[in-house]
Structure formats: C-alpha cells, structure tokens
Amino acid sequence: MNKTEQLIETPSDSDSTGTVAASFPFDPRTDLAAAVELAGRTLAAVRPEQYDAPTPCEEFDVRRLSSHLVAVVRRISVIGRGEDPFSVPSFADEIADGAWAEAWVPGAREVAEVWADPDILGRQLRLPMGVLPGAAAAAVYTHELTVHTWDLARATGQDPDWDPALIERVIGVVRRALPAETRGGRIPFAEVVTVDPEAPAIDRLVAWAGRRP
C-alpha cells in the first residue's frame, strides 16, 4: 500500500460498498459529476485567441490544458471500468484546436454511465498513483478536475460558479490524500501555498495544489 492510499483512510481489503462508502459522509460520485459538468462548461467558453495563453499550471498553455482535460475525462471512465489508466494518453492530441468541448460531451456521458453503478464505490481501481477504492478515486478526480478548471478559468478570464460545499468536501479528502510534506515524486503538485484560513474555499483548494490564487 502506498502512502496516498493510507492517508485516504479507506479500507483496501474490502469489496463492500457500504464499508468503503461509510468513510465518506457523502456520495463522491455526485461531486465527480458536478466537477465534470463545470469543467465542460468552462472548456466550452474558451475562445480561439486564448489558445496560446499561459495558465497557472506552468507546463500548460490553454491549448495543452484543454487537451489534457479531455484526456482526464476519458481516463476516469477507463479507471471506473477497472482498466489500465495508462492506456489513455495524458493528452488528446488527435483533437483539433477548438474541438475539445465537442469531444468532452461523449467523454462526460461515458463517465456518467460507468460510474452509475453504486458498487463501484467499493471496488479496487487502479489510478496512476496506485490502487484505491472507487469512492476515493472519485474524490481524487473531483479534485483534479476542479483544480484544472480553475487553471483554465484563470487563463481565460472566466468566473465559474464554484460550489463551496463541494469544494470543502474535496479539501477534506485531499488534505489527507495529498499531504503537504510528501510533494514531489508521485504527488504531481507543487509546494502548498499559504493563504488566509478564511479565504474562499476555491482559493484554499488550489493553494493546497501549489497554485497562487
């Protein structure tokens, strides 16, 4: 068991949906669905003149981040089916500029179909970071989609309608799953940025991922 699995504090030796879901006082699939929907709306609002703009995720411009987001939504479905996450490239390079939002639609639909089965919460799923129960995997990808949606929104001048309650739930998971002292290596985020404890939830979330809100 790797450190990320331990810190998420969900049982790794159980196939019981009830046992795993009990570790979450909410259904993480609901938050995942909301994150997919918001990412799709943000992606659809990107304009052609913004494709070369830098983003807060330093290695990505808007074009590269848009391609990566499509790859992420595809990977979430592959993971939910219990398949190899690395079978999906990190970028949807075959998609032409401006066609990312169109590609998002079938990707989002497939996520909804694959994750509709409540038993997925208790299954052991393989993520790039290691094996996690489905409930934890849903929370991890809600975090990734939310942070990258913020990246894209900042780069393109958008102000998404963030759900503070959802983000607080994500914060509660990722502070255990992605602790400040284990950055580097398999944790793909920069050092935690200090922000006011009373800052908006989205600012506290992205700061934990190493962004400067």
Side-chain angles (χ1 to χ4, degrees):
M1 177 184 294
N2 64 46
K3 193 164 187 176
T4 301
E5 292 174 79
Q6 294 172 326
L7 288 161
I8 280 189
E9 299 178 351
T10 48
S12 61
D13 59 352
S14 171
D15 291 326
S16 168
T17 300
T19 300
V20 174
S23 299
F24 290 79
F26 60 94
D27 187 339
R29 295 174 304 155
T30 302
D31 286 352
L32 177 62
V36 169
E37 195 274 335
L38 185 59
R41 280 196 281 124
T42 306
L43 187 62
V46 174
R47 302 189 306 273
E49 65 269 21
Q50 297 171 325
Y51 295 165
D52 293 320
T55 77
C57 188
E58 294 181 357
E59 65 266 36
F60 296 158
D61 59 12
V62 167
R63 175 182 287 102
R64 203 66 174 150
L65 179 56
S66 299
S67 176
H68 178 61
L69 272 167
V70 174
V72 169
V73 83
R74 291 172 172 176
R75 183 171 281 179
I76 293 169
S77 294
V78 167
I79 287 169
R81 290 195 296 267
E83 299 170 2
D84 179 5
F86 295 108
S87 66
V88 179
S90 296
F91 300 94
D93 287 332
E94 81 286 0
I95 297 176
D97 285 359
W100 304 293
E102 182 180 355
W104 187 268
V105 174
R109 185 183 306 118
E110 187 173 9
V111 169
E113 293 169 355
V114 170
W115 287 80
D117 182 0
D119 288 344
I120 199 171
L121 296 175
R123 293 182 194 138
Q124 297 299 302
L125 303 178
R126 183 183 172 195
L127 281 67
M129 68 175 63
V131 176
L132 293 175
V140 165
Y141 275 102
T142 299
H143 169 257
E144 178 167 359
L145 286 172
T146 301
V147 171
H148 279 326
T149 297
W150 180 88
D151 289 332
L152 190 62
R154 284 295 291 265
T156 58
Q158 299 185 56
D159 186 18
D161 186 16
W162 306 111
D163 180 346
L166 180 156
I167 294 169
E168 293 289 2
R169 290 191 290 271
V170 175
I171 290 171
V173 173
V174 299
R175 286 188 177 231
R176 299 194 305 273
L178 303 172
E181 63 273 15
T182 60
R183 299 303 164 98
R186 300 175 75 180
I187 304 299
F189 296 102
E191 297 297 321
V192 171
V193 173
T194 301
V195 294
D196 189 321
E198 301 303 317
I202 186 62
D203 289 358
R204 288 182 279 116
L205 177 67
V206 300
W208 195 260
R211 308 294 198 264
R212 296 187 179 278

